[in-house]
Amino acid sequence: MKTAFATLLAGLTLALPVSGQRSPQEGSLNEPERLEWFRDQGFGLFIHWSVDSQLGVVISHSLPGASDDFARRFFTELPKTFNPHKFYPSDLASLAKLAGVKYVVLTAKHHSGFCLWKTKTTDFGVAHTPFKRDITAELLDAFRAQGIAPGLYFSPDDFWWLWKHNITINRRPEVQPPMQKDLLQYDRSQVRELMSNYGKIDVVFFDGPYEGLRDLAWQLQPDTVVTRGAISTPEQ
């Protein structure tokens, strides 16, 4: 019991702002009326799903510290078998509506770097799997049809990008976009696709360094609400 409690406290500590770090609210361009809209939503749904769901592991987190062989199989073999036959977005959206969900946030790209939309930036995405279909477009359209506000999660960290550039996979500051300018430009291209090609996006959640990304999201869609990246969102 003590061990479990200590683990919980560690999770809380890691999630809370570190002394001296800039508050995410600083420089925020979230419109006050849109923040009030978001606060009034109450019940939201995260769809946290990616290519490694096939393995039954915690999404993306099997990669840091993994062997070279595991990483190679993850990045080159898993996409070949990603083919969700029972993917029915309209059914998911109908169930969410019945449950009282007001907004949805889809993990468009988690830390692994696998893209659930048809991106032009990389081959490591759904378009290069047996499934081929644009999961992001289908899910957002289905939820919109039910009157549920669409949102997107985006990870600035990208383990595929690190692997392709022979950089040890981790989430330390030296391998993140603020210190890797090419990765930042790569992320910006992806955020531009998501905020330009998929209609109105009500909510954006940046799980990692947001510098250079949240301003682009607001530039392309001024009414979007950036949650993590512009609002304090401690986990656990």
Side-chain angles (χ1 to χ4, degrees), residues 6-189:
T7 301
L8 175 59
L9 286 178
L12 281 166
T13 303
L14 288 170
L16 293 173
V18 176
S19 177
Q21 282 188 343
R22 185 163 65 99
S23 167
Q25 287 95 329
E26 185 179 334
S28 170
L29 295 180
N30 280 330
E31 298 286 350
E33 62 272 19
R34 292 294 292 159
L35 281 174
E36 287 303 313
W37 166 84
F38 179 67
R39 293 188 180 107
D40 289 342
Q41 296 308 293
F43 185 27
L45 171 66
F46 248 76
I47 299 180
H48 216 43
W49 176 54
S50 192
V51 67
D52 48 344
S53 297
Q54 301 174 89
L55 298 177
V57 298
V58 178
I59 188 171
S60 297
H61 293 294
S62 62
L63 284 164
S67 67
D68 292 339
D69 181 63
F70 179 87
R72 180 191 57 76
R73 287 187 289 116
F74 188 107
F75 293 123
T76 64
E77 298 300 323
L78 280 183
K80 297 177 183 178
T81 54
F82 186 73
N83 195 12
H85 294 293
K86 296 181 180 180
F87 176 67
Y88 305 118
S90 58
D91 290 353
L92 290 173
S94 296
L95 287 170
K97 181 71 172 181
L98 288 171
V101 168
K102 300 299 184 183
Y103 70 97
V104 65
V105 177
L106 169 67
T107 302
K109 186 186 82 168
H110 201 254
H111 309 321
S112 72
F114 186 79
C115 298
L116 287 183
W117 75 97
K118 290 188 175 180
T119 178
K120 295 179 180 179
T121 63
T122 177
D123 291 343
F124 191 54
V126 69
H128 297 270
T129 69
F131 192 64
K132 297 187 183 297
R133 290 155 50 188
D134 193 322
I135 287 173
T136 296
E138 292 189 27
L139 275 170
L140 295 187
D141 287 347
F143 278 85
R144 283 193 187 100
Q146 292 292 339
I148 298 172
L152 294 171
Y153 165 116
F154 183 86
S155 169
D157 291 282
D158 193 301
F159 297 158
W160 177 88
W161 190 92
L162 296 180
W163 181 71
K164 291 292 287 187
H165 288 81
N166 298 310
I167 300 172
T168 300
I169 294 173
N170 65 83
R171 297 190 69 199
R172 291 193 295 271
E174 61 267 24
V175 302
Q176 293 181 318
M179 298 296 291
Q180 297 286 340
K181 300 306 180 185
D182 289 343
L183 175 55
L184 176 59
Q185 291 307 312
Y186 177 76
D187 280 342
R188 282 177 59 85
S189 295

